[in-house]
Amino acid sequence: MTRPANPPLKPGRVYRTRELGRWSANPSRLAKRLAAQSRLEPLAHGLYHCPRHGHFGPMPADDRALVRSFLGEAAFLFTGPEVWNSLGLGATQVLAARLVYNRKRTGLFYLDGRPFRFRRKPYPRPAPLEWFVVDLLENRGLAALEPAETVRLLRRSLAHGTFDAARLRAMAVRFGTRRTRATVEEALCEEST
């Protein structure tokens, strides 16, 4: 009889069930056994977290590690209020779910009990600051933006050199709808006068 596998797991890492296949012919059984031994915590959708311990007990899995494992190493980008609010364009919203752009999945998924809203949407890699402005304008309803105030603040930011006007126009043309392009052009025209 062979000894059960005792894989060297990294604390803080999120594993997919199939990744455990390098230590066992039956990765599902191995995952269940490691969870019963408290070496892994079951999260959701075939994901397991090897807990890292801090001063106050086990620490939750990192958002990036969760999403990376969930998407199977596919490229993704976090966006949403945590980025939009820092642009200084009048956005002050908070969303319950983190917004994740990717090329693989769409929908609301709960990973480790936390909500993530996945959208299949194109984005540049790396994403410049001006792309996040376009993304904010594309999601103006979600961010509860006041259009006139947003144009005024965008104009002011362009005048102070916070955003590159040519790059902003290029991002709006490539990734924005007609309405977003019109908003950017309005801010750029008034900024240049």
Side-chain angles (χ1 to χ4, degrees), residues 70-82:
F70 179 66
L71 292 174
E73 303 294 327
F76 63 91
L77 176 72
F78 284 115
T79 186
E82 59 272 0

Side-chain angles (χ1 to χ4, degrees), residues 9-26:
L9 302 172
K10 288 182 174 180
R13 185 152 186 272
V14 178
Y15 293 91
R16 290 188 75 82
T17 306
R18 68 174 172 248
E19 289 179 77
L20 301 175
R22 65 181 124 160
W23 296 298
S24 172
N26 190 336

Side-chain angles (χ1 to χ4, degrees), residues 12 14 49 52 59-68 78 112 114 116:
V14 178
H49 176 234
R52 207 175 36 195
M59 298 169 62
D62 177 63
D63 285 356
R64 285 199 180 283
L66 269 173
V67 171
R68 185 175 295 114
F78 284 115
D112 195 18
R114 292 173 274 172
F116 291 87

